[in-house]
Amino acid sequence: MSRVEAATALILEVFRLNGALLAAGDALTRDLGLTSARWQVLGAVALAGRPLTVAGAARAMGLTRQAVRRLVTELAADGFVALAPNPDHRRAALVVLTEDGQRAYAAAQERQAAWAARVTEGCEPASLRDSTTLLRCLRAALERDEESGAPETGS
Amino acid sequence: MSRVEAATALILEVFRLNGALLAAGDALTRDLGLTSARWQVLGAVALAGRPLTVAGAARAMGLTRQAVRRLVTELAADGFVALAPNPDHRRAALVVLTEDGQRAYAAAQERQAAWAARVTEGCEPASLRDSTTLLRCLRAALERDEESGAPETGS
DNA sequence: GCTCAATCGACAACATGTTGTCAATAAACC
DNA sequence: GGTTTATTGACAACATGTTGTCGATTGAGC
């Protein structure tokens, strides 16, 4: 199997695993009133150490402002986060976790740890780390390749 | 770093890589009139060896009928595929590649090979295979876990 | 102090996937 | 052969992400 074939197989597996992971995250948090996406927003706010604006949370997550904005609106309607006035910016309110939000996030985190322990039972930690390193390296190469020019124009 | 922490890091990297790969696939095929999703449908039809119905293509790709149906409708409107009558089933038409569709798929495949060779330049084929195996094993464990441990949906 | 570029939140349109529902068709069972 | 069950395509509603655009606000440069 050539390098290209091996890479193609890995890419297809990443797609499948991504779908399976999102489904698992949804199932894991459904009865908390969360989803994978909502959980991710709560995590960004909880782990930031300081209140974030919507745009700041989006940067922290690698998503767009707009995607985060919609999730924050929903989370605020459900009482998981609140929007506090920002002394530094009149329009850009600060997103903070409510008590409900903190509870839900902590519960989700606990479940995720138990779940991760369960599904990686047969895996060597070193293998997990090696794969993470490879995927990270691959993504870095991929982003470099995107920047360095669209190949369809060049060739 | 514990096994759970290593697993969490790997999961987050899978999410990021998935997004980067989709963006790369879109960029790679944009001027052919394709996207990552359309390309995938063409691939399923091209590699099946025989004409597929929409539902059959969906099964082959691990997606839902409805997602594939919409893509097939668009691809047919753009002349990449055609719907041929199915002698075995009056309603379930067969999806076949048109000449345009074959050309576009072949072009996309060529580009993907060049692209994969480029971005995996520094990777050992054995590492790529090892990671693929690990991700596949992880997904299998994850799907087993979902089946056994999601009683809140069943009850 | 005034202008102007950058940033921010809001809204709209779209892409891609999901689930739920429905009627038509095919297949299986008795 | 007739009834039941499973599959299929269609449609609708929703979840999650994107890009584009707009006006408001901030801050930097002159």
Side-chain angles (χ1 to χ4, degrees):
Chain A
M1 192 193 257
S2 74
R3 204 179 72 219
V4 167
E5 288 168 336
T8 302
L10 177 58
I11 288 168
L12 293 179
E13 187 54 33
V14 167
F15 287 151
R16 292 197 204 94
L17 182 57
N18 180 76
L21 284 172
L22 286 180
D26 286 347
L28 210 60
T29 56
R30 184 172 303 132
D31 67 317
L32 299 172
L34 297 181
T35 63
S36 290
R38 288 175 161 214
W39 177 16
Q40 192 189 6
V41 173
L42 292 190
V45 174
L47 299 178
R50 59 194 165 79
L52 290 176
T53 63
V54 166
R59 273 193 301 271
M61 290 188 290
L63 292 181
T64 56
R65 279 191 341 262
Q66 290 76 357
V68 177
R69 187 188 75 87
R70 185 172 39 71
L71 288 166
V72 165
T73 302
E74 290 178 8
L75 285 169
D78 287 356
F80 290 113
V81 303
L83 295 173
N86 185 349
D88 294 338
H89 197 304
R90 198 178 306 171
R91 292 189 72 207
L94 295 172
V95 182
V96 292
L97 290 189
T98 61
E99 286 186 16
D100 274 2
Q102 289 173 25
R103 256 195 304 275
Y105 180 65
Q109 212 172 14
E110 270 177 39
R111 287 186 193 181
Q112 193 270 342
W115 170 88
R118 221 159 51 225
V119 299
T120 60
E121 222 159 86
C123 300
E124 288 292 333
S127 302
L128 295 171
R129 280 193 290 273
D130 288 349
S131 288
T132 306
T133 302
L134 177 73
L135 297 190
R136 200 170 284 155
C137 158
L138 204 54
R139 183 164 58 92
L142 198 156
E143 284 165 357
R144 273 198 306 276
D145 189 69
E146 293 245 325
E147 282 171 16
S148 73
E152 70 272 10
T153 51
S155 63
Chain B
M1 193 197 260
S2 73
R3 205 179 71 218
V4 167
E5 288 169 335
T8 302
L10 177 58
I11 288 169
L12 292 178
E13 187 55 34
V14 167
F15 288 151
R16 292 197 205 93
L17 182 57
N18 180 75
L21 285 172
L22 285 179
D26 286 348
L28 209 61
T29 56
R30 183 171 303 131
D31 69 316
L32 298 173
L34 297 181
T35 63
S36 291
R38 289 175 161 215
W39 179 16
Q40 192 189 6
V41 173
L42 292 190
V45 174
L47 299 178
R50 59 194 166 81
L52 289 177
T53 63
V54 166
R59 273 192 301 270
M61 290 188 289
L63 293 180
T64 56
R65 283 192 336 266
Q66 291 77 355
V68 177
R69 188 188 73 87
R70 185 173 39 70
L71 289 166
V72 165
T73 303
E74 291 176 10
L75 285 169
D78 289 355
F80 291 113
V81 302
L83 294 174
N86 184 349
D88 294 337
H89 197 304
R90 198 180 304 170
R91 290 188 73 205
L94 295 172
V95 182
V96 293
L97 290 189
T98 62
E99 285 187 17
D100 274 2
Q102 289 173 25
R103 254 195 305 275
Y105 180 66
Q109 210 173 17
E110 270 177 38
R111 288 185 191 180
Q112 193 269 345
W115 170 87
R118 222 160 48 228
V119 299
T120 60
E121 221 160 86
C123 300
E124 288 292 332
S127 302
L128 295 171
R129 279 193 292 272
D130 288 349
S131 288
T132 305
T133 302
L134 177 72
L135 297 189
R136 201 168 284 155
C137 156
L138 204 55
R139 182 165 59 91
L142 198 154
E143 284 164 357
R144 274 197 308 274
D145 189 69
E146 293 245 325
E147 282 171 16
S148 66
E152 70 271 10
T153 30
S155 62

